[in-house]
Amino acid sequence: MTRAPRARTLLGLAAASVAALALAACSTGAPAASESAGDDEYGLVNAGTLTVATEGTYRPFSFHEDGSGDLVGYDVEVAEAVADKLGLEIEFEETQWDAIFAGLDAGRFDVIANQVSINPEREEQYLFSSPYTVSPGVIVVKEGDTSISSFDDLAGKTTAQSLTSNWYALAQESGANVEAVEGWAQAVTLLEQGRVDATINDKLTYLDDVQTNGERGLAVAAETDDPSLSAFALTKDKADLVAAIDAALEELRAEGVLAELGEKYFGADVSE
Amino acid sequence: MSGWQLFLDSFWPLVWGAVSGTIPLALASFAIGLVLALGIALLRLSKNRVLSGFARFYISVIRGTPLLVQLFVIFYGLPSLGLVIDPWPSAIIAFSLNVGGYAAEVIRAAILSVPKGQWEAGYTIGMSNGMTLRRLILPQAARVSVPPLSNTFISLVKDSSLASLILVTELFRVAQEIAAFSTEFMLIYLEAALIYWVICIVLASGQGMLEKRLDRYVAT
């Protein structure tokens, strides 16, 4: 992988003929607009406002209260607290997970707040704030399925994962046959319907599912050794903003705000 | 890896996604959908109120609900009634039912566009109702319906990308997979768009040839 995403995109554009040119004209408009709003120090998409991308369908990190109420969740509230510290307004853009990085690259958001796990591939492409969630991954199976008790047992089994998630890569590395889905809800639906054997996700997601939906015939088959660290993701040109967010997170941690939010959503401090 | 290299490396996987997914999915759904559409169109034209009412209801439901919702009802919804259908059959069922609804109206309009005198001409020389339909009316209606049915087919080719949401691997799903790992969304999605476009150009030229061929029924 080279280090010049824009140059690569342009090369691709040249190759992709007339239709590409029309679209490229639209897309090059966006960064120019954000630059002209560059009177603020962070290079925000909209000056004075932190534009945050999140799924809005990912309990308990980002979801709508009672299904159709206000946008709430652990990540949403952490992002709100950070924006508050930075003295910025906050605006959430809700989008599908599989489109979220494409939107970040396209300059539609300043930051993704959606339990984005830090991994080497992503670090090559994006900047991360300091982590505000620490959690192991788990393999979730149907209760009573004894054929899976470790990650090695996933070889030859079918799991459901969302495409750009790090769990997708982990499932593949474990030798599983991976079906790509939108997110946790579809993955669990497929699991319940017997269309897949397992799904890998954050332990916190699973615990929250049990908490909200009660026992529904699912069980944890195994847990990862090293916990995953989740943080805000930003494009590489936002170093100043990352530094400011890190400082804000540090203050929130010292003030006990992160611990409080963890208590509220998980019954435990999940920030370290 | 340079952008050009990635473009080349993803080209054949994407084309394969089209050849093994998009095209068979569209062809199978269109073929089944067309048969269904002819049946629905004839029901809708029937003098029997129950039959024509059923056809109206069917067309109304299909045209009145999003294709994505129809797909999800069949794939994610039916299992709650104990009916688990695999991804591919689910997609073909949903797309066929959808084409059936839209194409039925096209075929009905095409049949109605054939002058009434043609029916009378058929009866005069002793043809039955069904024979008149098959030998006189449908060939003429076919010619009229080629442009709008081509539209339906071209739409279907692109709508088939929705099947990626119910685990069917076709062109767009392959594009999503490559984009997710290369994080070159713009490049890969444009490449996919280009391939869809080329497929549709080929279909449009097929439409042109078909129109010319069916013109043989027109007296000159």
Side-chain angles (χ1 to χ4, degrees), chain B residues 173-207:
Chain B
R173 161 49 51 81
V174 176
Q176 283 181 310
E177 286 172 2
I178 298 173
F181 288 105
S182 66
T183 66
E184 286 289 349
F185 298 94
M186 183 74 171
L187 172 66
I188 301 298
Y189 288 160
L190 281 175
E191 191 173 358
L194 192 68
I195 296 173
Y196 276 111
W197 189 23
V198 169
I199 295 172
C200 290
I201 288 173
V202 172
L203 289 176
S205 75
Q207 171 188 347

Side-chain angles (χ1 to χ4, degrees), chain A residues 12 15 125 164 180 182 193 195, chain B residues 4 75 85 165 167 180 183 187:
Chain A
Q125 196 91 5
T164 34
E182 305 292 279
Q193 292 173 352
R195 288 171 144 147
Chain B
W4 179 240
F75 188 73
I85 308 172
L165 292 169
L167 315 185
T183 66
L187 172 66

